[in-house]
Amino acid sequence: MPHRLFVLLFGILFMGLLPGSARQSPDKIWHKLDSIQNYRTEFTYTVTLPLTDSEINYRAELSYRKNPIDTLCGYSYLIDYKAENDTCPYANFMAYDNGDYFRFDRDRLREYHYREDTEPFAHRGNNPGAHRSGLFTELFPAEISRQLKSFVGKKDCLVQFFPDTLVQDRLCDAILVNDSVKGELSRTILYTFDTHDRMPLYRETENNPGHLGSQTVTVKYSGNDTDTKFPSDYFGETNLLENYGEIFLRFREGTYAASDRIGQKSPEFSHKWGEHRFSSDQLKGQNCLLLFLDERGEFCKQALQIAESVSLQENLTPVILYIEKQPENIENRSGAIILEYTGKTASEYGVTGYPTLFLLDPEGTIRFVKIGYSPLLAEELELAVRQILHDRPIQAQKNK
């Protein structure tokens, strides 16, 4: 089908540009982006799904402050957003400040703190860490600048700059990116910027152009404010507790914290299991491993493999609880009990990040908790299991 991006590009290429204008450098744009200290904007974010052409629409407000002393990220941010079809009574948000990352969406809260667990913040391959991942993080000024510089220096990428052109009947500076992988076009991106202040106006990305599975993502900005002076604690936990207090209360009140559960009786649960139901009562008399997973979590796959291996080795009963649906093509090597859509149970166990693992003794008492993933997870888990079998006290474990 004819995508909107093609129509926009057709308009750019035939607007009567001066010869050679597409070869001019866009470096003034990324210099501007790099210079921004404080930034606030509102935008719509629309994802057009493959084949069906149905759309998912978000409205969001983004706040951003440059923070050069933060070597993990270099900036702090808060994004408040909501999808049109989202029935959750609360607004979604994601926030980062000085090693603390919070995200609430799909009616659950996740939080990571670098001082407690460094793994979620690690840059591995194409994953820049939890704090720089997610739906909207590519829209921060520093990230747009980083993208443009990366495209210019990439061998299989064509970057064209069209100053003083029209896109959607608005005068702008446009940057067109054709990004290829092994000679095949993988995506096209059109950025437009205000000709005076060089702030972003619009972005349209088409992934897998020309294929049946192509997907289009458009971003339309409505106002860019670089004069806002945010309070010193605006992006931190104190302000989040004030503005999203009810959300935090659900997960933090009393014994909600997973690490506080050591020595307590495990909360009861019952979930659909195939054509039947599985109840926690069925675990009585057994040493059990409960592993809560986010199907999209970066380290959940590694944690699952280790949990399966240790369960087989130490004769544990493994129960894998996915916050939503189990991913496809996951082999159940340990014969684990697989449960899906377990958000309520995760909340009752105090789970706010994934993976989180619990060891239960035959009486159903929680004897060990492991929050997050580390390369030493297998060794820590094996030691904990052997201590449990010998009835020695176990402590909660967090990555250092």
Side-chain angles (χ1 to χ4, degrees):
M1 73 168 217
H3 291 283
R4 289 174 296 183
L5 183 55
F6 173 80
V7 177
L8 291 172
L9 300 184
F10 184 88
I12 290 176
L13 294 174
F14 290 91
M15 278 304 301
L17 297 174
L18 294 174
S21 61
R23 293 190 295 272
Q24 296 181 26
S25 173
D27 58 348
K28 290 183 179 180
I29 290 176
W30 63 61
H31 288 329
K32 169 65 177 182
L33 295 170
D34 286 335
S35 72
I36 295 173
Q37 300 297 315
N38 297 287
Y39 177 56
R40 188 196 296 271
T41 188
E42 295 181 2
F43 61 88
T44 59
Y45 189 100
T46 303
V47 181
T48 303
L49 300 176
L51 301 178
T52 63
D53 283 341
S54 59
E55 293 184 342
I56 302 175
N57 297 290
Y58 297 87
R59 291 190 175 276
E61 179 178 322
L62 179 154
S63 301
Y64 162 100
R65 179 172 62 202
K66 201 168 185 179
N67 186 8
I69 64 172
D70 178 6
T71 57
L72 272 179
C73 191
Y75 52 84
S76 302
Y77 64 81
L78 169 62
I79 304 176
D80 186 285
Y81 62 97
K82 193 77 170 175
E84 286 185 353
N85 60 347
D86 188 348
T87 58
C88 176
Y90 305 106
N92 299 315
F93 70 89
M94 53 193 299
Y96 170 82
D97 183 52
N98 289 309
D100 295 319
Y101 173 74
F102 302 87
R103 179 173 178 176
F104 177 77
D105 63 6
R106 293 185 290 175
D107 201 25
R108 72 182 190 270
L109 175 70
R110 285 167 284 179
E111 60 178 288
Y112 304 103
H113 305 280
Y114 187 80
R115 63 186 178 275
E116 298 176 352
D117 183 1
T118 62
E119 287 296 321
F121 299 89
H123 188 161
R124 288 186 172 84
N126 293 325
N127 183 355
H131 58 310
R132 290 177 51 209
S133 302
L135 202 57
F136 311 114
T137 50
E138 77 278 10
L139 304 180
F140 303 129
E143 296 300 330
I144 299 174
S145 174
R146 196 192 317 270
Q147 294 160 24
L148 293 174
K149 293 173 187 176
S150 174
F151 289 141
V152 169
K154 188 178 179 183
K155 182 179 179 180
D156 291 339
C157 191
L158 174 63
V159 179
Q160 296 174 283
F161 180 45
F162 300 94
D164 297 323
T165 190
L166 287 176
V167 175
Q168 295 185 328
D169 297 322
R170 180 163 183 173
L171 185 65
C172 62
D173 291 337
I175 297 177
L176 171 61
V177 177
N178 289 287
D179 190 18
S180 300
V181 176
K182 296 182 179 180
E184 183 176 352
L185 186 63
S186 61
R187 60 177 169 170
T188 56
I189 309 174
L190 173 67
Y191 302 84
T192 73
F193 300 87
D194 188 277
T195 56
H196 300 291
D197 61 17
R198 299 189 175 91
M199 297 301 294
L201 300 173
Y202 178 83
R203 196 193 76 174
E204 182 161 333
T205 305
E206 185 174 1
N207 298 304
N208 300 314
H211 294 266
L212 287 175
S214 65
Q215 179 194 68
T216 303
V217 180
T218 60
V219 182
K220 295 181 180 180
Y221 298 83
S222 56
N224 291 295
D225 178 8
T226 58
D227 295 324
T228 297
K229 304 298 182 185
F230 298 106
S232 59
D233 63 347
Y234 183 82
F235 300 94
E237 185 172 333
T238 301
N239 187 51
L240 295 178
L241 288 171
E242 182 176 338
N243 288 288
Y244 304 99
E246 189 172 351
I247 292 171
F248 280 91
L249 188 63
R250 290 175 56 199
F251 290 89
R252 288 182 162 180
E253 186 179 42
T255 57
Y256 267 112
S259 57
D260 294 336
R261 292 286 191 173
I262 301 296
Q264 297 182 13
K265 285 293 183 182
S266 56
E268 296 181 355
F269 61 83
S270 176
H271 291 280
K272 184 178 179 181
W273 185 37
E275 297 180 356
H276 308 282
R277 292 196 70 82
F278 182 85
S279 168
S280 54
D281 290 340
Q282 296 171 247
L283 298 174
K284 290 181 178 179
Q286 307 171 61
N287 286 309
C288 305
L289 181 153
L290 307 184
L291 179 61
F292 289 87
L293 297 177
D294 181 341
E295 65 280 2
R296 297 187 296 183
E298 174 66 16
F299 302 103
C300 288
K301 184 176 181 180
Q302 296 96 313
L304 175 60
Q305 293 172 344
I306 292 171
E308 289 181 324
S309 177
V310 174
S311 294
L312 289 170
Q313 176 181 312
E314 302 293 344
N315 195 30
L316 303 176
T317 300
V319 182
I320 312 302
L321 300 100
Y322 284 97
I323 191 68
E324 289 192 350
K325 189 172 178 60
Q326 179 188 15
E328 296 180 358
N329 303 320
I330 298 294
E331 184 180 358
N332 188 356
R333 299 185 302 113
S334 63
I337 297 155
I338 308 294
L339 304 177
E340 300 176 322
Y341 303 103
T342 62
K344 182 178 179 181
T345 299
S347 178
E348 291 172 350
Y349 274 77
V351 175
T352 59
Y354 300 87
T356 295
L357 182 148
F358 297 82
L359 290 181
L360 278 55
D361 67 16
E363 286 72 44
T365 301
I366 297 174
R367 304 292 302 280
F368 174 86
V369 178
K370 176 66 180 180
I371 302 169
Y373 170 82
S374 81
L376 298 177
L377 176 59
E379 290 84 350
E380 294 172 356
L381 185 53
E382 289 172 6
L383 176 62
V385 171
R386 290 163 187 166
Q387 287 178 314
I388 286 176
L389 294 177
H390 290 86
D391 200 27
R392 298 172 185 167
I394 301 298
Q395 300 299 319
Q397 296 290 315
K398 284 190 178 183
N399 299 323
K400 303 299 183 184

